[in-house]
Amino acid sequence: MTEFAFRPREWWQRLVAPIDPVLLALLALLIGYALLVLVSASPERMNNQFINLAVALVVMRVAAQIPPQRLMYLALPLYLGGVLLLVAVALFGDVSKGARRWLNLGFMRIQPSEIMKIAMPLMLAWYFQKHEAMLRARDWIVAALILLLPVAFIARQPDLGTSILVLSAGFFVIFLAGLSWKIMALLFFGGLASLPFVWTLLHDYQRQRVLTLLDPEADPLGKGFHIIQSTIAVGSGGILGKGWGNGTQTHLEFIPERHTDFIFAVLSEEFGLLGNTFLLALYALIIGRGLMIAANAPTLFSRLLAGSITLIFFTYAFVNMGMVSGILPVVGVPLPFFSYGGTALVTLFLGVGILMSIHKHRMLVQK
Amino acid sequence: MRLAEFKNPEQELERFQRRLAVAGGLVLLAFFLLFARFFWLQVIQHEHYRTRAEDNRIALVPIVPNRGLIVDRNGTVLARNYSAYTLEIMPSKVADLEAVIDELAGIVDIQPKDRKRFRKLLEESRNFESLPIRTRLSDEEVARFVAQRFRFPGVDVKARLFRQYPNGDLASHALGYIGRVNDRDLASIEKNEAEDNYRGTEHFGKTGLEQKYEFELHGQTGFEQVEVDAGGRAVRVLERTPPVPGSNLVLTLDAKLQQVVEKAFGKRRGALVAIEPSTGGILALVSMPGYDPNLFVDGINLQDWEALNTSEDKPMVNRALNGAYPPGSTFKPFMALAALETGKRTPQQSIADPGFFTFGGHTFRDDKKGGHGIVDMYKSIVHSCDTYYYVLANDMGIDAIANFMRQLGFGSPTGIDIEGESKGVLPSQAWKKERFRKPEQQKWYAGETISIGIGQGYNAYTPIQLAQATAAIASGGVLYRPHLVKYVENINTGERTLVEPQPLRTLPFKPANIEVIKRAMVGVNTEGTGARAFAGAEYVAGGKTGTAQVYSLKGGKYEASKVQERLRDHALFIAFAPAEQPTIALAVLVENGGFGAQTAAPIARQVLDYYLLGKLPKEAAPEYEEVDEDD
């Protein structure tokens, strides 16, 4: 039995040992910035967001502790479990706002597609690690199937935002694993050619969102309202913004979902181009740090995983800012580390934790 | 493509890092794309979006100005405003109107007539208007509704200003009324380029002075700049431009006199126009029966509307301006003046009246059997001798008559400040050619001129034309434009815009000739057809009776009592007083009143008694029994 002794210094060192200070510092800046904007957008939600953050940080710390090898063992069960849950959702899921996304477990409701955001890159990274020695054409096809099966389930819920995130998470792994440029070109042009077909697969509301993006003024008070109002918010912010708490679009409730998916409109209106640029710079630095971690990772698995997780952050940020500023259709993708809401925050910090773990264990395995 | 690759860890790592670099590059490119988009929106297009954000946030809420008052020459209020609560429904925000109204009926009193009126308003309404289901809510009803407002989205209580005509139907045809703005009013607003000023205005003058002076009465709409949220709720007031109340109309009309006239008419139909000869200012403008203009303010209900429109008495017709009647013998003084002015007669020239005049095989009868004997001009007017005027008309010819009468305003609109006045018919050869299609009808026959001389035939003039011409005689030959408004008073600046007496023309008549006519008209009231009505008058008044044929008798004697009420002749009377320096000239018409001396002259007597002596009549003017006398 070890004797209990009061050694705060040692505890602290053990607590922060797996933490990457650079990544944490950048995230602290980003979170601080996010809270500042959230105070303006929805002060009454601050307490909840603090709780969300606390939970997310715990998750991050726990994940940072887990060595990448341990994560590999988790890949297959997590993926298969996720797929099973997606099937369950399709069969017994709760419908809310026209989409079947939730699974009621009796004591809580979960959204299995959220699990896939992490399970997908884990699974594919594990798969490529397993076939590291020799990659045959068949392996690429299997990888593609691993990717597309859950994505199809999620897209049918329908949940365009999440399916894009899961698809890109998986794609990043495949891309980083070295899919040949020729195939990618083929996929790209094949994708372009099949757009008319994809169009017929889309739900009416999804088609409508694309049409709305192309011509928001066609229905300025209906379907175009979100995109028009958020674009106005961004544009009216100007270079320096209207000032913190002074966004008229925000405070007179012209911005829908101003604390979640459209929080960037609030930032943009109140802090202007300067604030936007600062945010872009923060994201660029965080992504840069993530790519650095990926570059230095010891195994193929951890490289692919770190690269994919990092690029997922980018996908979140790009899709969200593109949507709010009116160059991408409206899909339910939050601004990473910024939007109010616990689920996304936990998933994102889980990713950060994994990145930190990979960073921490970069030497250990090589030895 | 090779089916399989064997991996070299070193190469593998290098390739991975290249891929990573490519990904990093793409990230930067994407972020640059976003930056470019932000730059476009926030720098290049900033002005545009800034304006749109301002437009979003700022709403201009019009504040409707108080409508100007209408007061008579002595300050008696004829039209004013009062504030009351109305219960209004926004039809666009209510799914099942009937159900909502049924539920509302449980809280406030809603009668079937309210529902009918609402339905009528709904049909006429402009888009997205809020329409009143009930007006003039009691305080208790307001309180009851407010307590349950949450149950009724799209329904609200509003404080509105209402037009009120405190004297009911008094002078209704002069005042006119206002009603809710309709498409025709919108067109008129557009034509006057007053759209901005009418934002928020719900009422518009429909007839009478309310219509004619709409833009003076309306005032300047004020605006409140309010900050609104996305739901359209006002958050705060940023700026306020107060409305400027409309100008008041001060009339030449004398409400007391008007009241005396309307009372004098009693249940009879007809019209009276009294004019101040020295200005053309109208002292009384009566068309009986009238109507209650208050009925129209909140939108008239169907029953009332139908009652007014289907009534045989035609209360909505302004007889003073739109009724064209043959002037009958009231035409004779003007004929006599024409004879003097054209040199066709001298005052002394006499005829021997056998009681008829034959022309082209047709006998034109005089009212008096056996005739009036030797008749000069004075006697022809005093006793209303028809034969004298048959001969005179024949001597003058139709065009000479028309040319003379035109100068007195007959056959053209008088220019009174009320819209839609009729011009009547001044018969002439040219008129007939214009009026009829067939060539044989277009020709003027000399025989047709004969009855023109006694004010019958094609002659048809409005009571106001008759009053205007009478006033011209009374004023010694100046023809004024009759007008109701004395001045328009801007209550903010206190500035008064006078409606100047407008002499349309000074008639080139010899004063001596006019004197002859006036003297003869005085004779009418002292020893002629008006003597009975003016017996014992404490002033000297000139007058002339007249009877306009409604039912054409082919020969034979006309006996009013035997003819159905509606086919009885119209009674007319024109008058001015005091004779030396007239302060009032008038024309009275009593529809189906029989002889002028019988019903029209007594009304004139009561009016003059009040106007000159302040004597209030105790009851409606008497109707004298039928007299077998000349008229």
Side-chain angles (χ1 to χ4, degrees):
Chain A
M1 254 181 101
T2 40
E3 198 182 324
F4 181 82
F6 184 71
R7 287 197 285 272
R9 201 182 159 78
E10 190 184 323
W11 293 347
W12 175 251
Q13 275 173 352
R14 275 169 59 183
L15 183 69
V16 300
I19 304 288
D20 173 22
V22 179
L23 202 49
L24 193 69
L26 290 170
L27 282 170
L29 268 178
L30 187 57
I31 293 291
Y33 195 14
L35 292 176
L36 186 69
V37 175
L38 191 63
V39 170
S40 171
S42 184
E44 69 279 8
R45 289 189 169 84
M46 290 304 289
N47 283 345
N48 277 343
Q49 187 69 345
F50 277 124
I51 295 170
N52 293 337
L53 274 171
V55 173
L57 283 171
V58 169
V59 168
M60 176 193 83
R61 172 63 185 76
V62 171
Q65 185 82 35
I66 305 171
Q69 300 97 304
R70 193 78 58 78
L71 284 175
M72 277 180 74
Y73 299 130
L74 279 175
L76 191 59
L78 206 59
Y79 175 82
L80 290 177
V83 170
L84 275 177
L85 286 173
L86 283 175
V87 173
V89 168
L91 294 176
F92 327 106
D94 285 355
V95 178
S96 104
K97 294 179 188 167
R100 193 183 292 274
R101 295 175 185 173
W102 299 86
L103 197 61
N104 198 334
L105 299 181
F107 61 97
M108 65 177 291
R109 292 198 332 159
I110 59 163
Q111 199 178 342
S113 55
E114 198 65 31
I115 297 170
M116 271 299 159
K117 287 180 185 169
I118 292 297
M120 177 63 72
L122 264 179
M123 174 67 190
L124 281 173
W126 170 81
Y127 180 79
F128 282 113
Q129 171 82 56
K130 228 178 77 137
H131 296 82
E132 195 184 7
M134 194 177 73
L135 275 170
R136 285 168 298 184
R138 202 192 59 180
D139 301 323
W140 291 109
I141 290 167
V142 172
L145 288 177
I146 290 171
L147 173 56
L148 293 177
L149 180 75
V151 167
F153 271 111
I154 298 167
R156 294 305 293 175
Q157 287 180 349
D159 186 345
L160 203 56
T162 309
S163 57
I164 286 173
L165 289 172
V166 173
L167 180 70
S168 57
F171 173 76
F172 291 139
V173 177
I174 296 175
F175 168 73
L176 293 174
L179 184 60
S180 92
W181 289 107
K182 279 184 205 155
I183 304 261
M184 277 193 289
L186 212 67
L187 282 176
F188 179 75
F189 290 110
L192 272 189
S194 69
L195 270 186
F197 174 69
V198 172
W199 182 253
T200 63
L201 287 181
L202 289 179
H203 283 256
D204 279 345
Y205 88 97
Q206 292 167 334
R207 280 183 222 168
Q208 195 56 57
R209 283 185 186 176
V210 176
L211 291 177
T212 301
L213 175 76
L214 297 176
D215 183 15
E217 305 287 341
D219 187 6
L221 294 177
K223 302 180 184 75
F225 186 79
H226 283 30
I227 209 157
I228 290 175
Q229 295 304 337
S230 68
T231 309
I232 291 174
V234 174
S236 66
I239 296 174
L240 297 176
K242 294 176 185 170
W244 184 62
N246 293 334
T248 57
Q249 288 286 101
T250 303
H251 292 282
L252 297 170
E253 292 168 17
F254 288 95
I255 303 297
E257 303 291 327
R258 58 185 156 145
H259 56 285
T260 56
D261 289 359
F262 281 84
I263 196 166
F264 180 65
V266 179
L267 181 156
S268 220
E269 183 181 25
E270 299 192 347
F271 298 115
L273 184 62
L274 210 65
N276 290 358
T277 310
F278 181 60
L279 184 71
L280 283 178
L282 273 180
Y283 280 132
L285 289 173
I286 289 168
I287 291 164
R289 179 66 183 169
L291 294 181
M292 228 175 86
I293 291 172
N296 294 325
T299 65
L300 181 59
F301 170 75
S302 51
R303 284 202 288 269
L304 293 177
L305 186 59
S308 170
I309 286 173
T310 305
L311 290 174
I312 272 288
F313 296 164
F314 158 75
T315 309
Y316 271 100
F318 181 73
V319 170
N320 182 276
M321 288 188 274
M323 155 183 107
V324 172
S325 60
I327 52 174
L328 291 177
V330 175
V331 289
V333 173
L335 191 60
F337 307 104
F338 224 91
S339 289
Y340 170 84
T343 313
L345 216 50
V346 167
T347 312
L348 285 162
F349 271 99
L350 179 59
V352 173
I354 293 172
L355 277 181
M356 287 179 172
S357 158
I358 292 169
H359 183 60
K360 190 75 200 166
H361 297 89
R362 66 189 183 279
M363 299 306 180
L364 302 176
V365 179
Q366 275 177 340
K367 277 177 192 167
Chain B
M1 201 180 93
R2 280 169 298 168
L3 282 176
E5 305 170 65
F6 289 95
K7 307 284 176 177
N8 171 332
E10 285 300 313
Q11 270 183 359
E12 231 3 68
L13 186 63
E14 215 169 278
R15 184 155 85 166
F16 174 76
Q17 284 172 349
R18 267 207 311 277
R19 288 266 159 134
L20 223 44
V22 169
L26 287 174
V27 167
L28 286 180
L29 185 70
F31 278 8
F32 180 76
L33 193 71
L34 282 176
F35 179 82
R37 174 66 174 171
F38 300 154
F39 191 83
W40 168 255
L41 293 177
Q42 298 186 303
V43 178
I44 295 168
Q45 295 276 65
H46 171 61
E47 256 327 289
H48 167 73
Y49 287 108
R50 199 184 62 82
T51 313
R52 287 191 63 175
E54 290 296 284
D55 287 351
N56 258 347
R57 138 184 121 90
I58 294 168
L60 278 183
V61 179
I63 312 169
V64 178
N66 282 3
R67 195 174 175 87
L69 305 180
I70 304 179
V71 301
D72 87 335
R73 65 192 300 138
N74 302 314
T76 306
V77 176
L78 300 175
R80 67 182 176 205
N81 313 299
Y82 75 99
S83 176
Y85 288 106
T86 64
L87 187 62
E88 302 194 0
I89 303 181
M90 287 271 258
S92 54
K93 291 195 177 169
V94 173
D96 186 352
L97 272 177
E98 285 303 316
V100 167
I101 294 173
D102 284 343
E103 265 192 76
L104 284 171
I107 304 177
V108 298
D109 181 33
I110 294 174
Q111 296 292 322
K113 70 176 166 85
D114 294 320
R115 290 170 187 257
K116 278 187 192 157
R117 194 195 50 200
F118 182 80
R119 236 168 282 146
K120 190 160 172 280
L121 286 176
L122 194 61
E123 280 165 27
E124 298 163 353
S125 82
R126 294 180 279 166
N127 293 340
F128 310 118
E129 256 186 325
S130 115
L131 300 171
I133 176 76
R134 254 296 303 281
T135 53
R136 295 159 222 231
L137 296 175
S138 69
D139 289 349
E140 197 190 327
E141 284 176 316
V142 171
R144 268 207 303 266
F145 174 78
V146 169
Q148 306 199 39
R149 177 166 21 210
F150 64 91
R151 283 174 54 201
F152 301 100
V155 183
D156 212 347
V157 167
K158 298 209 171 138
R160 300 254 186 218
L161 277 178
F162 282 91
R163 196 62 156 172
Q164 191 190 32
Y165 305 96
N167 306 298
D169 55 7
L170 183 76
S172 49
H173 286 286
L175 298 174
Y177 55 84
I178 63 169
R180 296 181 70 87
V181 175
N182 62 24
D183 289 345
R184 215 187 50 198
D185 304 330
L186 283 180
S188 162
I189 290 167
E190 260 169 55
K191 214 180 88 194
N192 284 278
E193 291 174 1
E195 292 100 321
D196 281 350
N197 201 28
Y198 274 77
R199 277 187 54 189
T201 298
E202 296 185 314
H203 293 99
F204 199 82
K206 303 286 183 176
T207 62
L209 292 169
E210 293 275 30
Q211 177 190 29
K212 182 75 183 180
Y213 291 90
E214 167 62 36
F215 295 103
E216 284 84 354
L217 288 164
H218 179 270
Q220 194 69 39
T221 296
F223 285 96
E224 233 172 30
Q225 257 195 5
V226 290
E227 193 172 69
V228 292
D229 66 14
R233 286 171 296 266
V235 178
R236 62 192 167 118
V237 176
L238 300 173
E239 207 182 308
R240 192 186 142 96
T241 312
V244 179
S247 297
N248 291 344
L249 298 185
V250 179
L251 306 187
T252 58
L253 197 89
D254 181 331
K256 277 264 181 58
L257 181 70
Q258 179 89 13
Q259 209 164 11
V260 167
V261 177
E262 292 186 9
K263 208 173 153 202
F265 265 90
K267 295 231 172 293
R268 284 167 287 209
R269 285 164 286 112
L272 181 145
V273 179
I275 295 178
E276 195 172 54
S278 57
T279 61
I282 292 176
L283 299 167
L285 182 87
V286 175
S287 173
M288 295 297 284
Y291 56 88
D292 184 357
N294 291 304
L295 292 175
F296 291 88
V297 176
D298 326 334
I300 189 165
N301 69 56
L302 223 58
Q303 274 154 311
D304 289 338
W305 177 244
E306 292 202 335
L308 285 174
N309 276 291
T310 53
S311 165
E312 271 203 315
D313 291 341
K314 298 201 183 333
M316 298 306 294
V317 173
N318 188 345
R319 291 167 163 83
L321 269 56
N322 298 109
Y325 306 87
S329 298
T330 59
F331 204 49
K332 288 171 182 169
F334 306 109
M335 281 297 294
L337 186 58
L340 294 172
E341 284 294 321
T342 55
K344 288 285 180 188
R345 293 286 185 276
T346 65
Q348 293 74 35
Q349 239 173 318
S350 303
I351 62 156
D353 171 22
F356 60 87
F357 174 69
T358 310
F359 182 86
H362 183 85
T363 300
F364 294 86
R365 291 175 185 284
D366 195 300
D367 276 337
K368 190 168 179 178
K369 263 186 196 149
H372 292 88
I374 302 299
V375 179
D376 64 359
M377 184 171 281
Y378 178 82
K379 194 175 170 188
S380 76
I381 291 175
V382 170
H383 292 292
S384 202
C385 171
D386 289 345
T387 313
Y388 184 92
Y389 291 96
Y390 293 145
V391 180
L392 173 62
N394 191 36
D395 286 357
M396 286 186 72
I398 185 62
D399 282 354
I401 296 172
N403 289 339
F404 181 82
M405 294 302 169
R406 192 171 294 120
Q407 301 178 68
L408 283 164
F410 287 111
S412 12
T414 61
I416 185 183
D417 38 3
I418 286 183
E419 301 273 326
E421 179 190 6
S422 303
K423 63 176 191 170
V425 176
L426 175 64
S428 66
Q429 293 199 48
W431 167 81
K432 207 180 175 198
K433 201 162 187 179
E434 177 106 333
R435 170 70 182 74
F436 293 101
R437 281 280 169 79
K438 293 180 187 160
E440 66 268 25
Q441 286 177 318
Q442 286 182 328
K443 186 182 180 327
W444 186 269
Y445 297 96
E448 293 175 318
T449 310
I450 312 300
S451 48
I452 296 296
I454 60 160
Q456 308 289 355
Y458 293 119
N459 278 316
Y461 306 116
T462 59
I464 193 167
Q465 284 172 342
L466 214 50
Q468 183 189 32
T470 307
I473 302 267
S475 69
V478 187
L479 193 76
Y480 286 100
R481 184 178 73 85
H483 57 92
L484 275 162
V485 172
K486 198 171 179 184
Y487 53 84
V488 178
E489 184 183 29
N490 183 326
I491 62 163
N492 305 289
T493 59
E495 187 189 330
R496 293 175 169 189
T497 313
L498 271 172
V499 175
E500 295 291 338
Q502 269 187 32
L504 290 173
R505 50 186 162 269
T506 303
L507 302 168
F509 303 157
K510 289 198 190 79
N513 290 344
I514 295 176
E515 257 333 286
V516 169
I517 305 302
K518 282 168 88 170
R519 217 173 48 239
M521 286 176 73
V522 169
V524 169
N525 287 348
T526 53
E527 52 175 319
T529 52
R532 180 165 179 193
F534 279 86
E538 294 163 45
Y539 49 87
V540 183
K544 181 69 194 85
T545 54
T547 306
Q549 282 169 13
V550 170
Y551 181 71
S552 171
L553 293 160
K554 301 272 181 264
K557 180 85 181 126
Y558 171 83
E559 279 181 74
S561 60
K562 293 189 183 146
V563 184
Q564 225 184 314
E565 217 282 311
R566 295 271 165 184
L567 297 175
R568 278 177 77 188
D569 289 340
H570 298 324
L572 291 111
F573 195 75
I574 58 173
F576 56 84
E580 315 75 52
Q581 192 83 56
T583 56
I584 180 169
L586 58 82
V588 196
L589 167 109
V590 182
E591 273 186 13
N592 312 116
F595 293 109
Q598 211 180 334
T599 49
I603 291 175
R605 171 71 194 269
Q606 283 196 347
V607 171
L608 294 181
D609 274 3
Y610 171 75
Y611 191 69
L612 299 172
L613 309 171
K615 275 210 308 220
L616 279 167
K618 288 186 181 59
E619 53 201 5
E623 176 168 343
Y624 299 140
E625 66 275 21
E626 201 175 321
V627 281
D628 187 22
E629 208 195 330
D630 40 25
D631 185 50

